[in-house]
Amino acid sequence: MIKNLVIVESPAKAKTIEKYLGSDFKVMSSYGHIRDLKKKSFSIDVNNNFAPLYEIPSDKVQLVSELKKAATQAETVWLASDEDREGEAIAWHLFEVLELDAAKTRRIVFHEITKSAILYAIENPREINLNLVDAQQARRVLDRIVGFELSPVLWKKIKPALSAGRVQSVAVRLIVERENEIKNFVPEQYVRLTAEFLAGDKSLHTEFSHRLPDMKVAEEFLKVSADSKFKVGEIAVKPLKKSPAPPFTTSTLQQEAARKLGFTVSQTMMIAQRLYEAGHITYMRTDSVNLSSLAINTISKEITENIGEQYLKVRHYHTSSKGAQEAHEAIRPTYVDRATIEGTSQEKRLYNLIRKRTIASQMADAIIEKTTIDIDCQPATATTLPVDGHFVASGEVIKFDGFLKVYMEGRDDEESDSEQSSLPNVVPAQILDLDGMKATQRYTSKPLRYNEATLVKKMEELGIGRPSTYAPTISTIQQREYVERGDRPGAKREIEVIALRKGKITHRKATETYDAEKGKLLPTDIGVVVNDFLTEYFPDILDYNFTAKIEQKFDDIAEGNLVWDNEIANFYKDFHPVVDNAMSMRLEHKVGERVLGVDPVSGKQVSVKIGRFGPLVQVGEGDKDEKPRFASLLKGQSVQTITLEDALKLFDFPRIIGEFEGDDVTIAIGKYGPYIKHAGAFTSIPKDIAPEEITIDQAVELINEKRVEAQKRVVRTFDEDPDVQILNGRYGIYIACKKNNYKIPKTVADPAALTLEECKEIIAAQDVAPKKVPRRVARKK
């Protein structure tokens, strides 16, 4: 007999919790959700108030059986999944599927895995919050409706296997629109004027207060300056205060980890999850900046004892975002006095970032003295300056470092500070010697592309998504190849520089690299075509305000202010007819198709479009007499920009590049992209290798790598039954039998050690259709 059964959603979390509870408690994991909407069907009963049709996945059947058995033996069952909407839904599904008795079931929540927090939760249980469950269910149902109804439209009008999503499509729109801004951007020329003055034995770097319009005006200015005096004008000294940033929310942690540690958004969340489950930090999905009184007291003690009492300033932050609901406290260390933790290098770095930010949030302002010096140009004759203005020098001196002693927040802009740390001593009306003056031709900069961190920031500003959805959304749009993370090497251009030194003016040409970017989110051809189509025919789904309003409705459902199925019905009433109309409309050209011209050899039309397997060039229009020819685009080529000449070069394949083991090695481009053909076998060419440039040595290396992978694929076979194999695939180890694949339950510690009988048991369990679990009505609406 089990006295207390605690169920959490993660085995790592279970392991940590088990350390704090006595022998009267058994802790088990549900490994996430134990049931969900069916993967391959709509699974929503539209005619029954949009009731979801749930199923237990085949790989969870055995686990559910074990949980149910343990629950029947327990005196009390404690549902301890996370405290956000997803966690509340997991607790509700456990209650329903395990058929728990309400009288002996307790719901407990905690936003940190510490002994005190867990014991406090056990002493203060509550009921399952059905409002939170309804909010999660509403999101799940709405996203399923949009995905299942909109995706077939994309299959029919663009290409098969595409998908649309309520939040992901809006995220792609942001990236595509930024790309369009960049393409349409026309740089404007201006001139940057700088001067170096001598004040005693120190140099004073200055910049002119205005941009000059062109190099002609700049040269005139330098000519006048050659005989001018330069006098110190106004000197302004202003004290400034810099305040620390609040402790981390999910989005600010994702942004800062990207800036300072180079982590992707999903990487940050994965590492933060491990830190939380190990008991090192509080819950990592939150949009609250609040700190508990206990946390503030322990942080204050840490600052007073180890940094200094003068550095302490207790601050109470309040969350300003309207939808703040995921948790009740910011992300912070559970024990702020722990300067280091056990863990991987990445875990230590992220923990250190969280700890420093948390401590800095309770520290005093930094006191800074900012000095600005104006320097006037006074021509020697009656000549007037070609433009009005003066030179400006500015510098900052830190008088008291305050929170800067511990932490400085990162920045998204890619400009460097032009401030001098200190300035030479000068006085008003002092004449300064000109050491040199330089006019440099410049151009205005295009808008910056989003990286993952700045996209999260923009989504949060627009109210699109919530802490739990930022990382999955950004991962999804990359996995579905609507967006890719990449670099832009930039281009070079010649600029003119005019310099004045010792009364002599010189001209020279210089070369600069511009528009180079690293780690940015770039829309693919498919992403652009899908976005343009959805924006034209489904403007509401792609509308930023509409998406934000939907998020607000989920928040209202979570507060109990709206009925979830009523909101879904209102949405479906308007959405479904638009889908039907889009499915039936006839288009003159395939969506995204672009006619390039005529093939000079055959006289046939050459066009570029999105094909079944990606962007391709087509020669011919597919008439009855002759089938068209196709060639896939190469890496770096785009449907939007490829020329007729480059398109026709793609038909130079296949080509033989050499021999290996007595057989020709041929490079070709097929429906799935470029590949190597050798001895009747085919090997894909990776995206980072251009097929027109691949060497015989590279091809041989790829052929051998594939052979090694094929040998590693077979984990175990059985002589008694050759049909059954344990294989290593793209998503892990699985069982294959007679052209069917079977998942190995997560409870199996060593899949390679499975016997034939155990494999057959897993096959038999998954061949049986999963039992449908009817949804119990949460309450009468």
Side-chain angles (χ1 to χ4, degrees), residues 435-449:
D435 188 40
M437 188 179 294
K438 185 168 67 174
T440 307
Q441 187 179 25
R442 287 278 183 252
Y443 293 88
T444 52
S445 299
K446 63 177 177 52
L448 294 174
R449 292 178 174 89

Side-chain angles (χ1 to χ4, degrees), residues 5-18 21 26-34 60 63 67 77-83 86-87 90-91 94 98 106-110 113 118 122 273 276-277:
L5 173 65
V6 180
I7 305 178
V8 297
E9 66 274 75
S10 134
K13 185 176 173 182
K15 188 177 179 182
T16 306
I17 290 173
E18 215 160 24
L21 298 173
K26 179 178 181 178
V27 186
M28 296 181 71
S29 171
S30 68
Y31 292 85
H33 281 278
I34 59 167
K60 290 290 182 76
L63 174 64
L67 289 172
V77 177
W78 305 82
L79 302 177
S81 49
D82 291 339
E83 63 174 334
E86 208 68 34
I90 289 173
L94 284 166
L98 303 183
R106 306 285 184 272
R107 170 76 173 120
I108 56 172
V109 295
F110 36 82
I113 305 177
I118 292 165
I122 288 174
Q273 177 94 29
Y276 166 67
E277 290 175 346

Side-chain angles (χ1 to χ4, degrees), residues 401 525 678:
D401 53 2
D525 281 334
H678 172 259

Side-chain angles (χ1 to χ4, degrees), residues 488-651:
R488 283 289 184 264
K492 293 186 181 297
R493 66 184 166 205
E494 194 176 72
I495 59 171
E496 187 178 355
V497 180
I498 307 175
L500 168 64
R501 185 172 291 276
K502 296 181 179 179
K504 184 180 178 181
I505 294 176
T506 58
H507 294 73
R508 68 182 177 89
K509 299 289 185 181
T511 302
E512 69 171 4
T513 301
Y514 66 100
D515 291 352
E517 294 185 275
K518 288 188 175 182
K520 296 302 177 76
L521 296 174
L522 311 168
T524 62
D525 281 334
I526 294 174
V528 171
V529 170
V530 168
N531 175 76
D532 292 349
F533 176 79
L534 292 177
T535 304
E536 181 176 355
Y537 295 103
F538 297 89
D540 282 350
I541 295 296
L542 272 288
D543 181 76
Y544 301 132
N545 290 331
F546 171 80
T547 307
K549 285 176 184 175
I550 290 289
E551 293 293 344
Q552 186 58 52
K553 285 183 184 293
F554 292 151
D555 296 340
D556 290 338
I557 293 167
E559 294 293 327
N561 298 327
L562 290 177
V563 179
W564 79 269
D565 47 9
N566 288 348
E567 296 307 313
I568 299 296
N570 292 336
F571 168 82
Y572 192 75
K573 178 181 64 179
D574 296 328
F575 175 69
H576 187 67
V578 179
V579 173
D580 285 343
N581 180 60
M583 286 293 278
S584 60
M585 67 184 176
R586 298 188 67 178
L587 302 176
E588 185 177 344
H589 291 289
K590 192 169 180 67
V591 175
E593 184 175 7
R594 184 171 151 251
V595 177
L596 301 179
V598 175
D599 176 17
V601 177
S602 65
K604 294 182 181 294
Q605 176 181 289
V606 181
S607 60
V608 62
K609 62 184 180 182
I610 303 297
R612 184 180 181 87
F613 302 105
L616 56 81
V617 176
Q618 176 177 323
V619 176
E621 297 185 63
D623 52 40
K624 295 180 181 178
D625 298 331
E626 188 178 351
K627 289 184 178 180
R629 292 186 296 145
F630 300 98
S632 297
L633 268 63
L634 301 176
K635 181 178 174 60
Q637 293 181 327
S638 167
V639 169
Q640 317 297 321
T641 58
I642 191 171
T643 63
L644 175 63
E645 181 184 4
D646 288 337
L648 292 173
K649 284 181 182 177
L650 296 173
F651 293 92

